[in-house]
Amino acid sequence: MADCIRVPLLLLLMCILLFVHPIRAQNNLVAKFVGNADKLQNPAGGPGPAAGNPGADERNQGAGASLSRRRSTGWKLSEEAVCRDDLTRLCPKNSWSNNLALLECVQDKKEDSEIATECNHLLWNYKLNLTTDPKFESVAMEVCKTTISEIKECAAEEQGKGYLVSCLVDHRGNITDYQCNQYITKMTTIVFSDYRLICGFMDECHDDINTLKCGSISTGGKDIHSQGEVIACLEKGLVREAEEQLGAHVIKDSCKKAIMRIAELSSDDFHLDRYLYFACRDDREHFCENTLAGEGRVYKCLFNHKFEDSMSERCREALTTRQKLIAQDYKVSYSLAKACKSDLRKYRCSADTSMPRAREARLSYLLLCLESAVHRGRVVSGECQGEMMDYRRMLMEDFSLSPEIVLHCRSEIENHCSGLHRKGRTLHCLMRVGRGDMGSIDPICQKALQTLIQEADPGADYRIDRALNEACESVIQTACKHIRSGDPMILSCLMEHLYTEKMVEGCEHRLLELQYFIARDWKLDPILYKKCQADASRLCHTHGWNETSELMPPGAIFSCLYRHAYRSVEQGRRLSRDCKVEVQRILHQRALDVKLDPELQRRCMTDLGKWCSEKTEAGQELECLQDHLEDLVADCRDVVGNLTELESEDIQIEALLMRACDPVIQAHCHEVADNQIDSGDLMECLVQNKHQKEMNEKCAVGVTHFQLIQIKDFRFSYKFKTACKEDVLKLCPNIKKKVDVVICLSTTVRNDTLQDAKEQRVSVKCRKQLRVEEVEMVIECLKENKRRLTQRCHQKVFKLQEVEMVDPELDYQLMRVCKNMIRRFCADSEGKSILQCLKQNKNSEMMDPKCKQMITKRQITQNTDYRLNPVLKKACKADIPKFCQSILNKATPETELEGQVISCLKLKYADQRLSSDCEDQIRVILQESALDYRLDPQLQIHCVDEISRLCPEEAAAQEQTGQVEECLKVNLLKIKQEGCKKEVLNMLKESKADIFVDPVLHTACALDIKHHCAAIPPGKGRQMSCLMEALQDRRVRLQPECKKRLQDRIEMWSYAAKVAPAEGFSDLAMQVMTSPSKNYILTVIGAGVALLFMMGLLCGRFTKRVTQELKDR
């Protein structure tokens, strides 16, 4: 082919399929030039087609001779003897007189169409002459005269050498003249229908075709359709080389360029890719029947149906090969290259001098560059963004389109993800491996996954991730229906509903798999990127569209942002308001799963395995790390400490805790929660409302956990840290534990005061906060968790409580919460009597609910040990050693009595054996504990399980009306634990002594007591006996509710007498005196004694009388 003209590789691709826009010679001018083209093949006196191809197969000499003998200008292919039968059989009659129409007809016939070898070779020689005859240029010059003048490159071509046609084909996309466009399209189709006709292609790829065994290169050795398979074979070889498959052949660079140019030239019409055209003809009819050919539309349609079950494997394979070529060079996609051409030029996506030209053509580079422009708020045309969306979805659906994934993740796919190829399932399986849920992953594979997620950018539109879209469709329709489809906030909405009832398991897995990788590159969250790009540039020194480098990896940028998110005004260099909101949103999401925090997972992997391997529930891993803060390695301890420090300022970062505490927040802390600046106020509010009825177990556990964590480091208390940080660094360096810091600063304040220092070393703001922290945050937490403390710490806390109960003014929490109520009710009371005054006014309608809760907490504390109740201790000073010495003997000075002494005094009160002062105090305690079971520590200790089992609704209501105690009495027969049963029996015994101890009965019988027992003083069972007599007296009509309650109590007392018989004569006498059959029992006893007396009188002495003489001896 030495005499072959220069034909650019662009024509190359057209060669394979270009019969897309058939010209039926309807236009007279085009028909004229078609006729001229026929003349050019047999000029007068000139050689025929065979003469133009001296290398023609000798087997077809007859055909060549026949062609060379044709001299007439009207020479027709259909008139040749070797082709007449085949052409007239296969092609319509109206095309017989048009050689180009006949070529088009034959080229698009299916492979099973039989064309004689001699005819096949004649057609090939005819086309070859078209490519090698310089006179063909004159036709193009006349048809495309206007176009040539418009395209400078073509006008500058040297005429007479055949270069003009090549130039026009190269610029076919810029040709606006209809006749010229149609003519060039027609000629390109003919010229490039066979790779052997492409000038220069044989020279560039001859060796590679032979090495890869891609087919015969001898003229006429294969039928016309098989030549598309040669190109397809070379394309597959190119893909294998890119994926570094075992035994892959390295194709020459010049041949690679030729192959990619062919793929590019066939990008607008799938007819031009001959192998794909024949492989997908049936699938095109099935899936894309109504899709017009041209501009890559058929390709896109077939791509969209690639994973349909009815798609043929051969077509799917051909489509995958073409997609892989697009991944290597975006220009192989006609629609993408056309739509984004101006945007690529506008944002200089092909002007990166630091990057090889081959990289610039990569689809990944184009996507990253244009995605960055979109994220930065630049205008990218809607058409280009639509094309990018299609190819990003394509990358997410089929991992094999990324050669890096195929190459570096081969073992992970074989071991964990085989058989999951379709619809993005393999990619999500690899993401799950990358998260560490299915074993370890090679770092290179992990990097390849991260790169692919960056290219596809599913964070911008969840629909790009087909696996996620299908798994989360139901959740999106219910929980996120208020958000526009495709909005980036859909992912945030899904994260907000993670671990809720609306979330489904499949969506949860797909979401966490994707978020794991989004969390490792801040650019993958488009909202965060948009709001924070200016802050990142200003504070984190990011530059250029890629925004990252080896010195500043993507993960480090977010770390930089959140370090500036909580700076004070004095510290300066703060984030903008919009950026801070987005940083807080990301922190809230990361708190749901430690794997969503790259820094935490990287630094704490060893500690997570060592200390927290059994903590698998949501949120438990971070809590576990906080619990073991002192045991963690230094790097892990630092990152956990930083996170906890952030939580101290903004506890809303703990999303799971906020969900659990939502009822309490809505009821008591909504004003604090609505503040955009938290500063630790919300957690302070939750601590203050720990005993509200809205507080559930999960919230209470979380709040208590945070209180205990605050003790470990002074930085974990935001207000204290803000006020005292400088003082700590100056006066208490190297001290971390909050208790130690408080002691250090308090000691400094004390020493300065005692030494009459001119100036206090501790600042004023720190001194104010010091007292607050010492009592409010540390001591209060320790008080509430005494049972979990070490013995030594427990003793110290008890001593502190003992001091505070003697002098309530030292109880800062009580004084702060009840400040207004003290002014209202106790303005004239002494400091030591404040708590007693508040207790007396506790049930006043004017009492503040929060103060009432605080008083109840202090009552609970007092009832655990008589030593914590100074008034009771003084009143019962003689009674306690007299009746409860056995309890005191068993106890040690260091241990608490858990209400045992008070329980002992209660029983003696029922026996009416206490002194009057002690009896008055015990009566008050009995009346209060009868209304609120929490004030009875022994009942709480022994009946906690039974209350949960038998009386859950009454306990949850937390109403101080005695409903829990009444429930236990009613269910006495159902109680299984002996300790609890004994406490309930004691309550029944106590209620006999005083009806006020039984609030339910007292409420039911209040009117009857007023009418029938008004003259009887309360106490010692007198009013109870009065009611019993009234019940037995038929003349007295009691209220129905009172009568029913009394009958219930009689049954309970009867059962109690059987279960717990009298322990002594006093118990027996008490049971008799309070028995409904008291009169009968006393009558029987009296009758028995009288009978015994009468028998003595009548029968004389039972002993023998002794004589006087014996007495006198």
Side-chain angles (χ1 to χ4, degrees):
M1 304 179 76
D3 56 345
C4 158
I5 65 170
R6 182 190 67 166
V7 181
L9 293 176
L10 180 56
L11 297 181
L12 217 297
L13 200 71
M14 299 316 205
C15 79
I16 312 179
L17 308 111
L18 214 73
F19 286 129
V20 199
H21 303 289
I23 300 178
R24 303 299 181 182
Q26 296 173 357
N27 183 285
N28 293 334
L29 184 59
V30 175
K32 171 183 175 182
F33 291 122
V34 168
N36 288 344
D38 293 340
K39 296 175 185 179
L40 287 173
Q41 300 307 306
N42 288 280
N53 180 26
D57 196 327
E58 295 180 0
R59 295 175 301 166
N60 297 291
Q61 289 179 356
S66 173
L67 187 59
S68 65
R69 290 191 299 268
R70 297 282 180 178
R71 305 281 185 181
S72 64
T73 58
W75 177 82
K76 306 297 181 186
L77 284 173
S78 59
E79 296 176 358
E80 287 297 314
V82 294
C83 288
R84 185 184 302 114
D85 294 339
D86 292 326
L87 295 180
T88 54
R89 173 171 54 85
L90 297 172
C91 301
K93 187 174 182 179
N94 59 4
S95 65
W96 292 353
S97 60
N98 188 320
N99 290 345
L100 297 184
L102 286 173
L103 288 178
E104 179 182 357
C105 167
V106 174
Q107 287 185 158
D108 282 352
K109 292 300 177 184
K110 292 186 178 180
E111 295 185 34
D112 55 5
S113 302
E114 295 182 359
I115 299 178
T117 304
E118 292 80 3
C119 179
N120 213 356
H121 189 61
L122 177 66
L123 296 173
W124 187 82
N125 276 321
Y126 179 75
K127 289 187 290 186
L128 180 61
N129 282 341
L130 284 177
T131 67
T132 56
D133 194 338
K135 297 178 182 178
F136 184 72
E137 183 180 285
S138 61
V139 179
M141 290 182 64
E142 187 171 350
V143 176
C144 301
K145 183 176 181 180
T146 306
T147 302
I148 294 172
S149 62
E150 293 174 351
I151 303 175
K152 297 179 180 180
E153 292 87 346
C154 298
E157 290 286 358
E158 185 178 354
Q159 298 181 6
K161 294 188 178 182
Y163 294 164
L164 179 62
V165 176
S166 299
C167 180
L168 289 172
V169 173
D170 229 352
H171 293 82
R172 186 163 60 96
N174 299 326
I175 297 177
T176 56
D177 184 80
Y178 176 77
Q179 294 174 348
C180 180
N181 187 289
Q182 293 292 304
Y183 184 70
I184 292 298
T185 298
K186 175 70 68 176
M187 296 312 302
T188 306
T189 304
I190 295 171
V191 171
F192 296 102
S193 62
D194 190 322
Y195 78 93
R196 296 167 301 176
L197 300 177
I198 300 169
C199 184
F201 182 72
M202 281 291 298
D203 297 334
E204 303 294 353
C205 295
H206 181 280
D207 296 335
D208 295 299
I209 292 173
N210 284 334
T211 303
L212 295 171
K213 300 180 181 178
C214 289
S216 170
I217 60 172
S218 60
T219 305
K222 285 198 169 194
D223 65 75
I224 191 171
H225 302 295
S226 66
Q227 302 314 316
E229 296 182 1
V230 176
I231 301 297
C233 174
L234 290 171
E235 290 174 346
K236 292 176 183 176
L238 192 61
V239 169
R240 285 195 297 271
E241 180 186 346
E243 295 174 355
E244 298 184 24
Q245 296 182 15
L246 188 64
H249 168 67
V250 180
I251 298 175
K252 291 188 302 183
D253 289 341
S254 57
C255 183
K256 287 179 185 177
K257 293 179 182 178
I259 296 169
M260 295 306 294
R261 191 57 172 160
I262 289 175
E264 181 183 340
L265 292 174
S266 65
S267 62
D268 66 334
D269 196 326
F270 92 116
H271 289 84
L272 303 180
D273 188 331
R274 304 306 289 175
Y275 179 78
L276 187 145
Y277 171 72
F278 289 113
C280 296
R281 286 186 72 165
D282 293 337
D283 297 287
R284 187 266 169 96
E285 294 299 322
H286 178 64
F287 295 110
C288 311
E289 181 181 3
N290 298 322
T291 302
L292 296 176
E295 298 187 356
R297 287 186 289 265
V298 176
Y299 284 128
K300 290 181 65 175
C301 175
L302 290 171
F303 288 158
N304 291 335
H305 293 88
K306 176 180 165 182
F307 288 117
E308 298 287 345
D309 294 334
S310 54
M311 173 72 73
S312 66
E313 284 299 328
R314 187 181 178 202
C315 180
R316 185 179 292 119
E317 179 187 356
L319 290 171
T320 300
T321 299
R322 184 156 195 91
Q323 287 177 321
K324 291 180 178 180
L325 293 177
I326 293 173
Q328 293 190 40
D329 189 343
Y330 73 90
K331 288 179 286 186
V332 176
S333 170
Y334 177 85
S335 56
L336 179 64
K338 179 181 178 182
C340 298
K341 183 177 180 179
S342 60
D343 295 296
L344 290 171
R345 186 184 305 111
K346 181 178 180 181
Y347 299 114
R348 304 177 63 83
C349 293
S350 299
D352 193 342
T353 56
S354 64
M355 190 169 290
R357 294 292 301 173
R359 282 286 305 281
E360 291 181 2
R362 292 287 297 271
L363 175 64
S364 58
Y365 186 82
L366 172 144
L367 292 176
L368 288 173
C369 178
L370 293 179
E371 283 164 9
S372 177
V374 173
H375 291 333
R376 294 200 307 271
R378 307 293 191 269
V379 178
V380 175
S381 66
E383 186 180 2
C384 180
Q385 289 196 51
E387 290 295 326
M388 290 168 59
M389 175 91 168
D390 291 337
Y391 284 97
R392 285 155 56 194
R393 186 186 294 114
M394 180 183 79
L395 290 174
M396 288 294 292
E397 282 190 357
D398 191 349
F399 78 94
S400 67
L401 303 185
S402 171
E404 292 82 7
I405 297 289
V406 175
L407 173 62
H408 300 305
C409 300
R410 189 171 292 133
S411 61
E412 285 80 6
I413 293 172
E414 292 175 356
N415 295 334
H416 303 289
C417 308
S418 58
L420 299 173
H421 182 70
R422 299 182 178 182
K423 300 181 182 180
R425 289 195 290 267
T426 301
L427 189 59
H428 267 277
C429 175
L430 288 173
M431 291 182 191
R432 193 156 62 252
V433 178
R435 267 177 55 89
D437 296 341
M438 298 172 62
S440 60
I441 188 171
D442 189 289
I444 303 178
C445 175
Q446 182 92 349
K447 184 177 180 181
L449 276 172
Q450 187 70 45
T451 302
L452 179 59
I453 301 299
Q454 291 172 352
E455 296 165 3
D457 194 17
D461 192 333
Y462 72 96
R463 296 172 298 179
I464 291 170
D465 190 340
R466 183 171 178 177
L468 175 71
N469 189 14
E470 292 180 355
C472 297
E473 185 176 4
S474 62
V475 184
I476 294 171
Q477 293 299 323
T478 54
C480 310
K481 60 183 178 182
H482 59 287
I483 303 176
R484 177 178 56 84
S485 180
D487 194 291
M489 285 304 295
I490 290 284
L491 283 181
S492 289
C493 175
L494 291 174
M495 288 298 295
E496 289 173 7
H497 290 86
L498 194 65
Y499 305 125
T500 65
E501 294 179 354
K502 293 184 178 180
M503 181 58 63
V504 297
E505 184 179 3
C507 179
E508 178 182 309
H509 292 323
R510 302 295 86 78
L511 182 63
L512 287 175
E513 289 156 10
L514 179 60
Q515 285 289 351
Y516 177 85
F517 288 89
I518 291 179
R520 279 148 180 79
D521 188 346
W522 74 298
K523 301 191 303 297
L524 294 180
D525 189 311
I527 303 174
L528 174 71
Y529 188 94
K530 180 179 180 180
K531 300 290 186 182
C532 295
Q533 57 176 317
D535 295 88
S537 178
R538 175 170 57 90
L539 302 172
C540 308
H541 311 293
T542 58
H543 301 285
W545 73 265
N546 198 31
E547 305 295 345
T548 59
S549 65
E550 292 182 0
L551 297 177
M552 180 63 77
I557 294 176
F558 184 78
S559 297
C560 168
L561 289 174
Y562 87 68
R563 280 197 301 272
H564 290 84
Y566 294 91
R567 285 176 174 260
S568 63
V569 177
E570 293 79 11
Q571 290 173 310
R573 294 177 61 80
R574 305 172 72 199
L575 293 184
S576 62
R577 183 174 180 178
D578 289 344
C579 180
K580 182 177 179 179
V581 169
E582 295 307 315
V583 170
Q584 288 175 325
R585 173 177 64 85
I586 299 301
L587 290 174
H588 295 174
Q589 293 177 4
R590 291 187 173 189
L592 297 170
D593 191 327
V594 294
K595 292 180 180 178
L596 297 182
D597 191 324
E599 200 71 8
L600 181 65
Q601 189 192 28
R602 181 175 65 84
R603 296 192 183 186
C604 297
M605 185 63 69
T606 303
D607 289 304
L608 282 168
K610 183 177 181 180
W611 304 107
C612 311
S613 58
E614 297 180 358
K615 304 293 184 180
T616 57
E617 296 295 325
Q620 286 186 343
E621 290 175 308
L622 180 56
E623 288 186 2
C624 172
L625 291 173
Q626 290 172 332
D627 289 338
H628 292 87
L629 188 65
E630 299 86 351
D631 304 319
L632 305 179
V633 297
D635 282 351
C636 181
R637 186 165 57 248
D638 289 344
V639 70
V640 173
N642 291 336
L643 267 177
T644 310
E645 190 174 351
L646 285 178
E647 288 179 355
S648 71
E649 180 176 355
D650 183 10
I651 192 60
Q652 296 189 59
I653 291 174
E654 280 286 352
L656 293 175
L657 178 62
M658 290 300 98
R659 290 178 192 170
C661 296
D662 187 61
V664 187
I665 294 173
Q666 294 302 323
H668 304 285
C669 308
H670 60 90
E671 293 182 359
V672 179
D674 292 341
N675 292 338
Q676 292 190 354
I677 301 176
D678 188 340
S679 302
D681 294 330
L682 181 55
M683 177 53 71
E684 182 180 338
C685 179
L686 289 173
V687 171
Q688 293 172 4
N689 291 278
K690 274 182 67 174
H691 297 285
Q692 297 288 357
K693 63 181 181 180
E694 293 84 2
M695 178 66 69
N696 54 60
E697 183 180 358
K698 286 186 177 179
C699 181
V701 170
V703 173
T704 300
H705 165 79
F706 196 80
Q707 286 181 282
L708 294 174
I709 288 301
Q710 286 183 319
I711 299 173
K712 297 188 175 185
D713 194 318
F714 79 94
R715 297 177 301 146
F716 301 163
S717 300
Y718 176 73
K719 290 184 177 179
F720 182 77
K721 177 192 71 174
T722 304
C724 298
K725 187 174 183 179
E726 294 181 0
D727 299 279
V728 172
L729 295 175
K730 180 174 65 174
L731 302 171
C732 311
N734 304 320
I735 298 179
K736 290 290 185 183
K737 285 191 176 182
K738 186 175 179 181
V739 176
D740 296 334
V741 170
V742 170
I743 293 173
C744 171
L745 293 175
S746 300
T747 303
T748 304
V749 172
R750 183 193 64 188
N751 292 341
D752 288 348
T753 303
L754 294 176
Q755 295 171 9
D756 295 326
K758 293 183 179 180
E759 185 178 351
Q760 287 276 356
R761 286 175 290 174
V762 179
S763 63
V764 175
K765 62 179 181 178
C766 182
R767 290 202 304 272
K768 291 180 179 179
Q769 191 64 30
L770 190 60
R771 181 59 181 165
V772 173
E773 290 297 325
E774 186 180 60
V775 178
E776 184 177 9
M777 301 303 292
V778 181
I779 305 304
E780 190 65 26
C781 175
L782 292 173
K783 291 176 185 176
E784 295 179 3
N785 296 276
K786 283 193 296 185
R787 295 180 184 177
R788 300 170 59 182
L789 305 178
T790 61
Q791 184 177 359
R792 184 180 177 186
C793 183
H794 193 145
Q795 294 167 11
K796 290 185 177 295
V797 172
F798 179 77
K799 290 295 183 183
L800 176 63
Q801 288 180 311
E802 197 171 4
V803 172
E804 289 180 344
M805 292 304 176
V806 173
D807 186 1
E809 287 185 310
L810 297 177
D811 189 341
Y812 180 84
Q813 187 80 342
L814 176 70
M815 300 301 291
R816 187 179 66 83
V817 174
C818 296
K819 183 178 180 179
N820 294 330
M821 296 301 102
I822 292 172
R823 290 177 181 174
R824 173 173 292 175
F825 296 110
C826 310
D828 298 330
S829 299
E830 295 182 3
K832 295 184 178 181
S833 304
I834 287 177
L835 180 57
Q836 192 69 17
C837 170
L838 290 172
K839 287 162 61 175
Q840 293 170 356
N841 294 277
K842 171 183 170 183
N843 296 316
S844 170
E845 293 181 358
M846 301 176 68
M847 177 59 69
D848 177 65
K850 291 185 177 180
C851 181
K852 186 175 181 179
Q853 285 289 334
M854 180 57 64
I855 297 169
T856 301
K857 287 172 64 176
R858 293 300 178 255
Q859 288 180 296
I860 293 172
T861 301
Q862 285 188 325
N863 288 353
T864 59
D865 197 305
Y866 78 96
R867 292 171 290 183
L868 298 180
N869 191 335
V871 178
L872 175 67
K873 182 179 178 181
K874 180 180 179 181
C876 299
K877 185 176 182 180
D879 300 86
I880 291 174
K882 180 179 179 181
F883 299 112
C884 309
Q885 188 62 47
S886 60
I887 297 174
L888 298 178
N889 293 337
K890 294 178 183 178
T892 60
E894 293 80 15
T895 59
E896 290 187 49
L897 300 175
E898 300 293 349
Q900 296 179 63
V901 171
I902 295 178
S903 294
C904 168
L905 294 173
K906 288 179 182 179
L907 292 175
K908 300 309 172 184
Y909 172 83
D911 295 339
Q912 302 175 7
R913 299 171 64 182
L914 298 178
S915 62
S916 59
D917 290 343
C918 186
E919 188 176 83
D920 291 340
Q921 292 301 317
I922 293 298
R923 182 186 301 113
V924 173
I925 292 175
L926 281 169
Q927 291 173 357
E928 290 173 344
S929 59
L931 293 170
D932 190 347
Y933 77 98
R934 295 175 298 171
L935 299 181
D936 189 338
Q938 285 293 303
L939 182 68
Q940 233 185 337
I941 291 172
H942 292 106
C943 294
V944 60
D945 295 332
E946 299 293 352
I947 291 173
S948 299
R949 184 172 64 88
L950 300 173
C951 314
E953 294 181 2
E954 291 82 354
Q958 292 191 6
E959 296 178 358
Q960 298 178 10
T961 57
Q963 293 302 317
V964 174
E965 291 85 342
E966 182 67 15
C967 173
L968 290 173
K969 293 174 185 177
V970 172
N971 292 282
L972 179 60
L973 298 177
K974 298 180 182 179
I975 295 176
K976 298 178 181 179
Q977 297 182 9
E978 290 301 322
C980 181
K981 185 178 292 185
K982 182 178 179 182
E983 291 300 321
V984 177
L985 291 172
N986 288 339
M987 281 197 300
L988 289 169
K989 182 178 179 180
E990 293 158 3
S991 65
K992 284 185 179 182
D994 193 339
I995 193 170
F996 287 97
V997 179
D998 193 336
V1000 175
L1001 181 62
H1002 183 264
T1003 302
C1005 297
L1007 288 176
D1008 295 296
I1009 293 173
K1010 184 177 181 180
H1011 291 159
H1012 306 297
C1013 309
I1016 299 175
K1020 297 185 179 181
R1022 288 187 288 264
Q1023 289 186 339
M1024 185 69 76
S1025 297
C1026 173
L1027 287 174
M1028 289 300 177
E1029 291 174 0
L1031 179 65
Q1032 293 177 350
D1033 191 343
R1034 295 182 179 179
R1035 293 173 300 176
V1036 177
R1037 296 186 61 182
L1038 298 177
Q1039 295 292 324
E1041 181 67 16
C1042 178
K1043 186 175 181 180
K1044 181 179 181 302
R1045 292 291 181 184
L1046 282 171
Q1047 290 171 343
D1048 291 341
R1049 293 298 184 270
I1050 291 172
E1051 293 178 4
M1052 292 178 187
W1053 292 330
S1054 176
Y1055 175 76
K1058 295 176 183 178
V1059 175
E1063 297 179 359
F1065 180 78
S1066 60
D1067 283 349
L1068 178 61
M1070 188 63 189
Q1071 289 185 12
V1072 170
M1073 294 305 295
T1074 57
S1075 172
S1077 305
K1078 178 181 70 173
N1079 295 335
Y1080 173 75
I1081 295 172
L1082 293 176
T1083 302
V1084 171
I1085 294 173
V1089 171
L1091 181 61
L1092 183 62
F1093 179 74
M1094 292 299 296
M1095 289 177 63
L1097 291 176
L1098 297 175
C1099 301
R1101 292 172 61 97
F1102 287 100
T1103 58
K1104 185 178 180 180
R1105 185 181 296 275
V1106 180
T1107 62
Q1108 186 65 37
E1109 293 79 5
L1110 294 175
K1111 291 181 179 180
D1112 296 337
R1113 286 182 181 180

